[in-house]
Amino acid sequence: GQQVMQIPQYQHVQEGEDFTTYCNSSTTLSNIQWYKQRPGGHPVFLIQLVKSGEVKKQKRLTFQFGEAKKNSSLHITATQTTDVGTYFCAGPRGGSSGDKLTFGTGTRLAVRP
Amino acid sequence: DGGITQSPKYLFRKEGQNVTLSCEQNLNHDAMYWYRQDPGQGLRLIYYSQIVNDFQKGDIAEGYSVSREKKESFPLTVTSAQKNPTAFYLCASSTGLAGGSDTQYFGPGTRLTVL
């Protein structure tokens, strides 16, 4: 079945450093979504990418969808303590699976103040 | 104030007991989902429902049951057949209109501990 892997599993950075998480799917995706889960909280939708090679920015966050639509990345410039949490990518399962998403394994970000 | 509510926030259960987790949404969404999250892990799909009175098994349905009698409600029962039920349970919903492009909205979760 479809698998979505993320690396790294965990990263600890000094506040002000940059951070990147990578998402790789075993199948081509029609779109990819990114969610953030704060410690003890629930996942919250951040953004959706649809087009091959698409790049979107939200303040210090830059999201990219690969040309082959099988991978994606999230880059945070100059991390802040408010960026702490786990970042998940998610892709649709396709076919008769309707609205189901496959979530990636997640990357947990810790930020030293 | 629209959203998804889950109750209770924390739940303790003795081994061998069934327990039901509540999930209610007032977003008028057709699709609803239940996920299980273990410490340091991703989200695994337990059950999902695309419309009232219909639901399908997800990837880890064994030991769980659901019902969808109302559009707003999608309760999950963790039965005694679930061998390792201690986990964080998340309910989500989506419009059901955009297929795999739908954004999912999550409730605050229920943390279940089996004593």
Side-chain angles (χ1 to χ4, degrees):
Chain A
Q2 180 192 52
Q3 291 187 6
V4 180
M5 304 296 292
Q6 285 181 252
I7 54 170
Q9 189 173 8
Y10 172 75
Q11 188 154 6
H12 199 170
V13 301
Q14 183 71 42
E15 188 172 21
E17 291 181 340
D18 292 357
F19 159 78
T20 304
T21 173
Y22 299 91
C23 173
N24 294 288
S25 170
S26 59
T27 60
T28 301
L29 302 171
S30 60
N31 70 87
I32 194 152
Q33 300 179 27
W34 284 91
Y35 292 78
K36 175 183 178 181
Q37 183 177 24
R38 294 183 187 274
H42 58 277
V44 175
F45 173 77
L46 292 177
I47 207 162
Q48 182 182 75
L49 304 170
V50 178
K51 298 177 185 175
S52 169
E54 187 172 13
V55 177
K56 284 189 177 180
K57 292 191 176 185
Q58 286 181 350
K59 297 183 180 178
R60 295 177 295 102
L61 277 60
T62 302
F63 303 84
Q64 187 164 7
F65 201 9
E67 295 289 341
K69 302 184 79 172
K70 293 183 73 174
N71 56 73
S72 180
S73 65
L74 159 58
H75 179 82
I76 301 179
T77 303
T79 54
Q80 299 176 359
T81 54
T82 53
D83 297 324
V84 164
T86 301
Y87 293 85
F88 293 99
C89 61
R93 299 196 183 195
S96 60
S97 296
D99 304 324
K100 290 196 298 183
L101 295 175
T102 298
F103 281 83
T105 46
T107 295
R108 187 159 70 95
L109 171 64
V111 179
R112 287 189 300 272
Chain B
D1 189 20
I4 303 178
T5 56
Q6 290 185 244
S7 60
K9 188 172 182 178
Y10 297 96
L11 188 58
F12 297 89
R13 185 195 99 175
K14 291 182 181 179
E15 269 193 59
Q17 287 182 339
N18 292 357
V19 64
T20 298
L21 282 56
S22 167
C23 177
E24 304 277 333
Q25 55 98 359
N26 61 6
L27 300 168
N28 200 33
H29 285 172
D30 283 317
M32 296 186 75
Y33 315 82
W34 274 105
Y35 293 92
R36 170 181 171 140
Q37 186 175 36
D38 293 283
Q41 302 293 315
L43 306 174
R44 292 187 290 168
L45 183 66
I46 305 172
Y47 266 98
Y48 68 103
S49 168
Q50 293 179 287
I51 199 166
V52 175
N53 292 322
D54 187 46
F55 50 82
Q56 287 82 39
K57 293 181 180 180
D59 303 317
I60 55 166
E62 185 175 349
Y64 300 97
S65 67
V66 293
S67 63
R68 186 87 188 274
E69 298 176 2
K70 297 188 299 182
K71 187 175 186 177
E72 304 80 20
S73 179
F74 191 40
L76 173 75
T77 296
V78 184
T79 75
S80 55
Q82 169 49 234
K83 296 189 189 325
N84 186 19
T86 294
F88 188 42
Y89 290 88
L90 287 157
C91 179
S93 72
S94 67
T95 62
L97 299 175
S101 299
D102 247 1
T103 298
Q104 293 190 8
Y105 296 84
F106 286 82
T110 291
R111 203 165 294 275
L112 173 64
T113 302
V114 174
L115 303 172

